[in-house]
Amino acid sequence: MEICVLHTEWDSDRHCRYGYALLEYRHASKKEYAIRCFTDDTKKAPVLCWVHPRLAQNLGKAYSLLYLLAQRQVSPVHLEDVLGDMEL
């Protein structure tokens, strides 16, 4: 289920540079989070990455992580690497 979407750098044509969506999945009674990063360019597929439970133990931490990625304007091609570095 998609919880929230953030966009960065809206231009005059109402196109965003990057978009970030926070997704929540329930498995048994456990919640897991993923982040989908995309551009307004329809030629490129969005990137979906699971978030390590240590980074997103609850909705508040998951949203903070999403906001941080949007603030840093992490591109879809770098999303997996950035999240991997944050897990360390």
Side-chain angles (χ1 to χ4, degrees):
M1 167 176 59
E2 194 171 86
I3 296 173
C4 135
V5 179
L6 299 176
H7 297 276
T8 62
E9 292 191 17
W10 288 91
D11 65 18
S12 59
D13 294 328
R14 302 293 298 157
H15 294 111
C16 68
R17 180 171 180 194
Y18 298 125
Y20 306 86
L22 180 62
L23 293 90
E24 178 183 81
Y25 295 93
R26 292 178 187 258
H27 182 68
S29 61
K30 183 178 163 189
K31 291 182 187 176
E32 295 183 24
Y33 296 96
I35 291 178
R36 183 172 50 92
C37 185
F38 55 93
T39 66
D40 204 33
D41 183 359
T42 56
K43 295 175 187 169
K44 296 180 182 176
V47 174
L48 178 69
C49 290
W50 291 98
V51 179
H52 192 281
R54 191 172 50 232
L55 295 174
Q57 298 167 1
N58 56 47
L59 178 58
K61 287 188 177 190
Y63 178 79
S64 294
L65 180 61
L66 181 76
Y67 184 80
L68 179 67
L69 293 169
Q71 192 176 37
R72 291 183 180 174
Q73 296 185 20
V74 175
S75 71
V77 284
H78 298 296
L79 181 64
E80 188 173 359
D81 292 334
V82 170
L83 286 173
D85 289 346
M86 294 173 112
E87 288 176 15
L88 301 175

